[in-house]
């Protein structure tokens, strides 16, 4: 489930150079190669130039660009052993956890109609109360942590910086009384981010509309209260989705029983060393936000989902016996009056704070450049 929020409230950005792919296709894989892609190769000097331009998406682990680098014999032997022993056990365990949680969600939503928003375009079970909601949340958090354990994340190093509602923050507002944030904002490195946030706070996410139709995962996403968007769609529902997100953030801020929104304002994943420009969707409600920084220290394979296919990433991740994740919770960020009136300023100030505290490099590229980089790696763009 790829939770990537589009800035639905602002005007369309200036046209960016796009790889030759159909403009109206929503769910096309970023790394899908054409049959004749191997015929076009990238010269070393051109590859270096690409990596300089698109540094936020460059893989620098032992597996190389796109996870297709030449591996030493020892690494190949380790992969072979892991694929024959460790991977099958982990796949079976992960499927058991997924099916078990689906059955729990199915049982708790039995004979219950979902909440519907925007004329049926959005439906979820996030506002379902009583014991049903409690079972869904508690089991979801426990089983999400179990899934992380199965994937090799045995320990999670969590650090909290400062205290919510403490001294004057970057927004310049002195907070005397603690308020509940309306949204959690986090950098986006991998699909593993979602599992961590589910295990930590079980928030609602923004997801592609196609996620709602997936077997097993579709019902789980509705129980999470996901807000579905049609990525890169120019249809008239954009304003409606933006309104739903703003309303949900405002509701979470004002009502402690409402599910909190979890938003990745970068809109796509990076290699974990950079922070892309923030879209304003998380900041339109003028509510406080809780910034969270995720990092994945590695020695051999990077868990970042930047420029590698999903199948290859899952296999390599499961082949590693131990994976690591470090989480930093910053104090709740309370916007100033100026920031409330200017969502772009609010988003930019939160981004600068996260970059400073997480030692991340600010980058001005985005999803359009990511597509160009992937197309070049696949030989779809000539690098002569």
């Amino acid at each position: 489930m790829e939770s990537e929020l589009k800035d639905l409230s602002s005007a369309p950005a200036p046209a960016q150079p796009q790889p030759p792919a159909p403009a109206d296709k929503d769910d096309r894989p970023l790394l899908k190669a054409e049959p004749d892609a191997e015929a076009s190769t990238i010269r070393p000097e051109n590859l270096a130039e690409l990596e300089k331009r698109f540094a936020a998406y460059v893989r620098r682990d032992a597996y190389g660009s796109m996870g297709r680098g030449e591996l030493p014999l020892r690494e190949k032997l380790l992969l072979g052993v892991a694929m024959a022993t460790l991977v099958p056990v982990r796949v079976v365990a992960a499927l058991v956890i997924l099916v078990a949680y689906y059955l729990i969600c199915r049982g708790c939503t039995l004979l219950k109609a979902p909440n519907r928003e925007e004329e049926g375009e959005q439906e979820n079970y996030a506002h379902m109360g009583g014991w049903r909601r409690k079972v869904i949340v508690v089991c979801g958090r426990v089983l999400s942590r179990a899934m992380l354990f199965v994937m090799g994340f045995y320990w999670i190093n969590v650090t909290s910086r400062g205290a919510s509602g403490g001294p004057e923050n970057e927004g310049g507002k002195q907070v005397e009384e603690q308020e509940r944030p309306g949204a959690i904002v986090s950098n986006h490195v991998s699909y593993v981010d979602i599992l961590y946030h589910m295990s930590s706070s079980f928030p609602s996410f923004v997801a592609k509309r196609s996620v709602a139709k997936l077997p097993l995962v579709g019902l789980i996403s509705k129980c999470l209260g996901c807000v579905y968007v049609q990525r890169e769609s120019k249809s008239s529902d954009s304003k409606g989705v933006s309104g739903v997100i703003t309303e949900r953030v405002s509701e979470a801020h004002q009502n402690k029983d409402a599910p909190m929104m979890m938003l990745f304002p970068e809109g796509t994943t990076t290699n974990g060393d950079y922070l892309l420009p923030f879209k304003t969707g998380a900041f339109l409600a003028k509510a406080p936000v809780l910034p969270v920084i995720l990092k994945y220290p590695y020695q051999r394979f990077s868990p970042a989902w930047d420029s590698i296919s999903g199948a290859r990433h899952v296999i390599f991740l499961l082949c590693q016996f131990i994976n690591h994740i470090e989480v930093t919770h910053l104090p709740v960020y309370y916007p100033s009056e100026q920031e409330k009136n200017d969502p772009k300023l609010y988003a930019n100030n939160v981004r600068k704070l996260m970059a400073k505290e997480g030692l991340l490099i600010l980058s001005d590229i985005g999803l359009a450049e990511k597509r160009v980089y992937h197309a070049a790696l696949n030989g779809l763009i000539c690098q002569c």
Side-chain angles (χ1 to χ4, degrees), residues 150-178:
V150 166
M151 297 170 70
F153 294 93
Y154 306 123
W155 305 277
I156 298 179
N157 184 13
V158 180
T159 303
S160 295
R161 300 272 179 88
S164 300
E168 184 175 307
N169 62 18
E170 291 287 318
K173 179 179 179 180
Q174 184 72 29
V175 180
E176 298 178 355
E177 171 178 353
Q178 181 173 341

Side-chain angles (χ1 to χ4, degrees), residues 21 35-36 46 51-52 82 101 137 154 173 190 200 225 232 252 269-271 294:
D36 60 347
N46 291 332
E51 292 183 347
K52 182 179 179 180
Y101 190 49
V137 172
Y154 306 123
K173 179 179 179 180
S190 173
S200 174
E232 297 177 350
T269 54
T270 68
N271 58 18
L294 303 178

Side-chain angles (χ1 to χ4, degrees), residues 187-201:
N187 62 320
H188 202 8
V189 184
S190 173
Y191 51 81
V192 180
D193 304 349
I194 297 169
L195 286 173
Y196 167 73
H197 288 295
M198 285 179 64
S199 69
S200 174
S201 53

Side-chain angles (χ1 to χ4, degrees), residues 19 74 117 225 241 267 345:
R74 179 176 179 275
E117 302 168 289
V241 172
L345 176 65

Side-chain angles (χ1 to χ4, degrees), residues 68-224:
R68 297 178 182 176
E70 184 63 30
L71 300 175
L73 178 60
R74 179 176 179 275
E75 191 67 29
K76 291 180 179 178
L77 291 175
L78 289 174
L79 280 176
V81 172
M83 291 185 68
T85 57
L86 189 60
V87 173
V89 174
R90 284 180 164 176
V91 169
V92 171
L95 286 175
V96 168
I97 292 172
L98 180 62
V99 172
Y101 190 49
Y102 168 80
L103 293 176
I104 291 171
C105 291
R106 176 60 67 190
C108 289
T109 57
L110 197 63
L111 304 179
K112 283 283 185 178
N115 304 307
R116 285 187 169 85
E117 302 168 289
E118 290 300 308
E119 299 180 354
E121 291 293 332
Q122 304 286 338
E123 63 176 36
N124 64 76
Y125 295 94
H127 295 78
M128 183 173 58
W131 65 268
R132 296 172 185 261
R133 181 62 185 170
K134 186 173 182 180
V135 170
I136 287 175
V137 172
V138 172
C139 292
R141 295 183 65 174
V142 171
L143 293 179
S144 297
R145 183 63 187 91
M147 184 73 82
L148 287 171
F149 188 90
V150 166
M151 297 170 70
F153 294 93
Y154 306 123
W155 305 277
I156 298 179
N157 184 13
V158 180
T159 303
S160 295
R161 300 272 179 88
S164 300
E168 184 175 307
N169 62 18
E170 291 287 318
K173 179 179 179 180
Q174 184 72 29
V175 180
E176 298 178 355
E177 171 178 353
Q178 181 173 341
E179 301 176 58
R180 186 179 193 242
I184 302 169
V185 293
S186 172
N187 62 320
H188 202 8
V189 184
S190 173
Y191 51 81
V192 180
D193 304 349
I194 297 169
L195 286 173
Y196 167 73
H197 288 295
M198 285 179 64
S199 69
S200 174
S201 53
F202 203 81
S204 298
F205 295 87
V206 174
K208 293 187 296 183
R209 190 170 296 165
S210 57
V211 169
K213 301 178 182 179
L214 293 176
L216 304 180
V217 175
L219 177 61
I220 294 174
S221 72
K222 292 178 182 180
C223 289
L224 277 163

Side-chain angles (χ1 to χ4, degrees), residues 162-304:
S164 300
E168 184 175 307
N169 62 18
E170 291 287 318
K173 179 179 179 180
Q174 184 72 29
V175 180
E176 298 178 355
E177 171 178 353
Q178 181 173 341
E179 301 176 58
R180 186 179 193 242
I184 302 169
V185 293
S186 172
N187 62 320
H188 202 8
V189 184
S190 173
Y191 51 81
V192 180
D193 304 349
I194 297 169
L195 286 173
Y196 167 73
H197 288 295
M198 285 179 64
S199 69
S200 174
S201 53
F202 203 81
S204 298
F205 295 87
V206 174
K208 293 187 296 183
R209 190 170 296 165
S210 57
V211 169
K213 301 178 182 179
L214 293 176
L216 304 180
V217 175
L219 177 61
I220 294 174
S221 72
K222 292 178 182 180
C223 289
L224 277 163
C226 286
V227 176
Y228 303 108
V229 299
Q230 188 74 15
R231 186 200 236 177
E232 297 177 350
S233 171
K234 303 298 181 183
S235 62
S236 59
D237 73 340
S238 293
K239 183 177 179 180
V241 172
S242 178
V244 170
I245 294 171
T246 302
E247 289 175 4
R248 294 278 295 275
V249 172
S250 297
E251 182 184 9
H253 171 50
Q254 298 168 5
N255 180 7
K256 66 178 182 179
D257 295 323
M260 195 177 298
M261 285 298 301
M262 168 69 241
L263 300 167
F264 298 109
E266 293 172 285
T268 190
T269 54
T270 68
N271 58 18
D273 295 327
Y274 290 78
L275 203 60
L276 306 182
F278 279 9
K279 303 186 182 353
T280 58
F283 310 94
L284 293 173
K286 306 178 181 180
V289 296
L290 175 64
V292 178
I293 303 168
L294 303 178
K295 288 194 172 184
Y296 296 85
Y298 65 90
Q299 292 182 346
R300 294 163 51 232
F301 177 75
S302 168

